[in-house]
Amino acid sequence: MPNNHAIRRIYWLHALTPTHAGVGRGLGYIDLPIDREKVTNWPIIRGSAFKGVLADYFGATDERRKKDELLRAAFGVTGAEEESNSGSLVPTDARLVCLPIRSFRGTFAWCTSPLALTVLRRMLQLAGVAHLPDAPTPLEETKAHHPKSSALVESKKVYLEELDFDGVECPVAQSWAEKIAAWVFGSSQEWQQHFQKRFAIVPDVAFDYFCQTGTEVHTRVRINDETKTVVEGALWTEESLPAETLLAGVIQCERVFQQNGKSQNSIEPARLMDHFAKEELVLQIGGKATVGRGQMRCVFVSV
């Protein structure tokens, strides 16, 4: 995001159902794992996948792109060199911010970590977002920070899955809870309150552990129509991001391309951004749509 003249917006993805953004056949015990970052091993949704889903939402077929100048400018057209152009909407990968984890109190917690928030803060700063909360400091492995009036605390303890932490009320956690709630649930005061009551910052090592063990793994089978039994060899496992997962990325438009890579002056970048990245959307991301996977809210936040 080096160009200060580019038009940018933050996009938030909120999983409404388990989401399988996969990478094909895996080598481990999970047959169909989800995509993960190489360095952190945190779940991720690639910018290329998001852009394809956004194009599909707006009906940007090859035929329609050739007839509609906005679709052609936003998502590009393939063909002969003199007839093709690059798409001008450029999304980054959507990186994990909060993972929902089962809690003894409050049902579940939206968990993040000091490192995850620091990475988010850097991304937001580079995108031009002002007045951000301070970056959280590293936590002791026995402590979890939470906002005031948390629904997760029982006798000053926070119990997440099989781990327990000393709950510490923290103004930085309060500030981040308020900010993220406003960005993701800005249209609902009730959901902003739900989020703030269930927000928790856990140590980095615990967050890494939850990212490994906190996803959903479903066992699937294929039934023989005649015998009504499992077809031999047709049993497999699929991994999904759980419902309520939150991820964030940046979408930007620096200039609008026309054929031969030249800039197209008849369409302003701001016009493209207002048309395709303004309203809240419900997108189908990843596979397994026919069994209810991949329904995600997409919320665009102006910079």
Side-chain angles (χ1 to χ4, degrees):
M1 295 172 282
N3 190 338
N4 292 329
H5 300 290
I7 304 297
R8 300 187 184 92
R9 290 196 177 144
I10 310 300
Y11 73 93
W12 287 87
L13 296 178
H14 169 213
L16 301 176
T17 66
T19 298
H20 176 80
V23 290
R25 182 69 62 173
L27 299 177
Y29 73 95
I30 299 175
D31 297 312
L32 299 176
I34 58 174
D35 198 0
R36 292 176 178 270
E37 290 181 311
K38 177 65 175 178
V39 175
T40 64
N41 209 34
W42 297 347
I44 193 171
I45 292 180
R46 302 293 174 181
S48 56
F50 174 75
K51 187 172 182 179
V53 166
L54 193 64
D56 184 66
Y57 179 89
F58 285 101
T61 61
D62 289 342
E63 192 63 31
R64 287 196 63 195
R65 294 186 201 195
K66 294 175 182 178
K67 299 177 181 178
D68 188 313
E69 65 172 2
L70 288 179
L71 292 176
R72 182 174 65 250
F75 303 110
V77 171
T78 59
E81 183 175 348
E82 65 276 5
E83 299 174 351
S84 63
N85 66 276
S86 301
S88 298
L89 290 182
V90 181
T92 67
D93 296 339
R95 305 184 72 179
L96 182 66
V97 177
C98 292
L99 188 70
I101 298 297
R102 185 175 56 179
S103 173
F104 177 69
R105 290 292 303 271
T107 308
F108 76 96
W110 272 289
C111 289
T112 188
S113 73
L115 180 58
L117 288 178
T118 300
V119 170
L120 173 66
R121 191 176 192 276
R122 180 185 63 186
M123 181 192 74
L124 296 173
Q125 279 184 318
L126 291 173
V129 180
H131 309 298
L132 292 170
D134 294 334
T137 57
L139 299 181
E140 298 178 30
E141 293 186 12
T142 59
K143 298 185 184 299
H145 287 187
H146 60 81
K148 61 183 178 182
S149 304
S150 175
L152 306 174
V153 181
E154 169 75 17
S155 301
K156 298 185 179 180
K157 302 284 284 187
V158 175
Y159 300 93
L160 303 174
E161 288 290 355
E162 72 273 25
L163 303 182
D164 62 271
F165 304 90
D166 296 325
V168 179
E169 186 177 316
C170 173
V172 174
Q174 180 71 41
S175 298
W176 277 109
E178 292 174 356
K179 279 287 188 180
I180 296 174
W183 287 326
V184 180
F185 302 106
S187 60
S188 172
Q189 189 65 35
E190 180 182 5
W191 272 103
Q192 289 188 52
Q193 293 175 2
H194 281 308
F195 179 83
Q196 293 179 42
K197 288 181 178 180
R198 290 167 175 79
F199 180 76
I201 305 175
V202 300
D204 290 328
V205 65
F207 188 69
D208 292 343
Y209 173 74
F210 288 143
C211 286
Q212 281 292 103
T213 63
T215 57
E216 294 189 16
V217 178
H218 309 272
T219 301
R220 299 282 305 280
V221 298
R222 182 159 56 88
I223 301 297
N224 185 306
D225 288 337
E226 295 181 359
T227 64
K228 303 304 179 184
T229 59
V230 177
V231 175
E232 184 177 354
L235 182 148
W236 70 97
T237 54
E238 298 171 356
E239 185 181 21
S240 300
L241 281 171
E244 305 302 336
T245 300
L246 299 181
L247 307 98
V250 176
I251 185 168
Q252 73 174 33
C253 183
E254 177 183 342
R255 58 176 176 154
V256 179
F257 296 99
Q258 61 182 10
Q259 280 75 15
N260 299 319
K262 299 178 182 178
S263 292
Q264 181 171 317
N265 297 322
S266 61
I267 301 176
E268 294 293 329
R271 182 184 173 193
L272 277 188
M273 198 66 78
D274 284 341
H275 187 79
F276 294 105
K278 185 176 183 180
E279 299 180 354
E280 178 179 317
L281 309 175
V282 177
L283 303 176
Q284 171 64 49
I285 296 181
K288 318 305 171 185
T290 58
V291 289
R293 303 284 186 263
Q295 292 291 306
M296 280 194 156
R297 289 176 60 238
C298 178
V299 182
F300 295 102
V301 179
S302 296
V303 174

